Amino acid sequence: MTSVRRELTQGQWLEALGVDPFWIVDEQPTVKPVESGVSTPVADIQQDGASVDAAIKSCKQCGLARHRKQAVPGSGDQKAEWLLVGEAPGVDEDRAGLPFVGQSGQLLDAMLAALDLKRDQGVYLTNAVKCHPEENRTPTTDEMDLCNGYLNQQIDQIQPKVILALGRSAAYAVLGQEASIQSLRGAVRYRTQGEIRIPVVVTYHPAYLLREPAEKWKAWQDLLLARKAIDA
């Protein structure tokens, strides 16, 4: 795969897509299984994606519902191999009703394009909480715990082959661990849900990468690690 990436960087394809050269590195990470995460029972009531979305949009079980314009369940392929989980909808997402729009969404699209992926083909995007926290604050663990039932149902419905947790809040929602990104990234972890054991890779949120572009090469390694976990 490395030779393909070199060929692309010598041509114009990545430049046309706006993919940062920081994504392209020679090192191929090693899959290092780490037994961690949460064991979550499958929901008692099996719902399709539309039913879960409807439940999220009408949800008022925490204070975030008072400040939102609309809940943002997620978007993408309902049978995706890749499930990407972020922190929470921002102002743009709250207005549009879609996850990962604006600059962070553009960067995420470039990250996916570097793997020959698109957000609506083999990919599903969602967040740890589905409503915009006022003043763009970080959601509390209580808010994430209350919203985690919806994430459980989405995982159960989609049954992804890998989960990419974007940022510390997403890592907590997916793995149940409060820890730094530095301590969680660089290894394949697992979430056990019912009878399903799903590889999880933790990496930086695109919003963080916009502030700290020097970390993009680490994020690219994490993406390669996630793809390798699927192949394994």
Side-chain angles (χ1 to χ4, degrees):
M1 196 64 193
T2 303
S3 62
V4 175
R5 296 297 161 192
R6 286 174 177 165
E7 182 179 325
L8 290 173
T9 55
Q10 291 169 357
Q12 301 299 316
W13 185 72
L14 287 180
E15 182 179 354
L17 286 171
V19 178
D20 196 302
F22 268 120
W23 295 124
I24 311 307
V25 296
D26 289 331
E27 182 179 353
Q28 294 294 315
T30 301
V31 176
K32 298 182 293 182
V34 177
E35 291 298 336
S36 64
V38 294
S39 180
T40 306
V42 175
D44 292 336
I45 301 175
Q46 301 298 317
Q47 300 189 75
D48 59 22
S51 299
V52 175
D53 286 2
I56 292 171
K57 290 178 180 179
S58 63
C59 179
K60 295 183 180 179
Q61 65 179 346
C62 79
L64 293 181
R66 295 197 298 268
H67 303 281
R68 73 188 185 203
K69 292 185 183 300
Q70 57 188 320
V72 184
S75 67
D77 188 342
Q78 288 286 344
K79 294 297 180 183
E81 290 190 345
W82 292 70
L83 175 62
L84 275 61
V85 181
E87 179 177 280
V91 174
D92 292 333
E93 289 79 8
D94 187 41
R95 184 182 302 113
L98 295 170
F100 292 99
V101 299
Q103 286 187 313
S104 64
Q106 292 172 13
L107 179 56
L108 182 61
D109 286 342
M111 293 165 65
L112 293 173
L115 291 172
D116 299 327
L117 295 171
K118 295 182 180 180
R119 63 166 61 205
D120 60 347
Q121 296 178 12
V123 176
Y124 191 88
L125 309 177
T126 190
N127 284 295
V129 299
K130 315 304 185 186
C131 298
H132 169 54
E134 66 277 16
E135 299 180 0
N136 282 333
R137 64 171 175 81
T138 300
T140 66
T141 55
D142 286 344
E143 289 165 343
M144 287 189 283
D145 289 343
L146 284 171
C147 216
N148 204 253
Y150 295 126
L151 181 60
N152 294 340
Q153 291 178 358
Q154 288 175 317
I155 294 172
D156 182 42
Q157 173 64 30
I158 296 167
Q159 297 190 20
K161 291 186 177 179
V162 70
I163 299 175
L164 194 64
L166 303 171
R168 184 174 178 177
S169 295
Y172 172 78
V174 174
L175 294 172
Q177 292 181 270
E178 290 190 83
S180 67
I181 296 298
Q182 288 76 12
S183 67
L184 291 174
R185 61 168 298 274
V188 176
R189 302 171 189 277
Y190 290 90
R191 175 189 174 102
T192 302
Q193 179 152 327
E195 298 180 354
I196 304 171
R197 187 168 176 265
I198 306 171
V200 177
V201 173
V202 178
T203 192
Y204 300 105
H205 193 284
Y208 172 81
L209 296 176
L210 288 172
R211 301 191 299 269
E212 300 290 341
E215 302 286 15
K216 288 181 178 180
W217 71 274
K218 293 181 183 178
W220 174 244
Q221 289 180 312
D222 295 334
L223 294 181
L224 293 179
L225 183 62
R227 183 174 61 190
K228 199 164 187 177
I230 289 180
D231 293 340

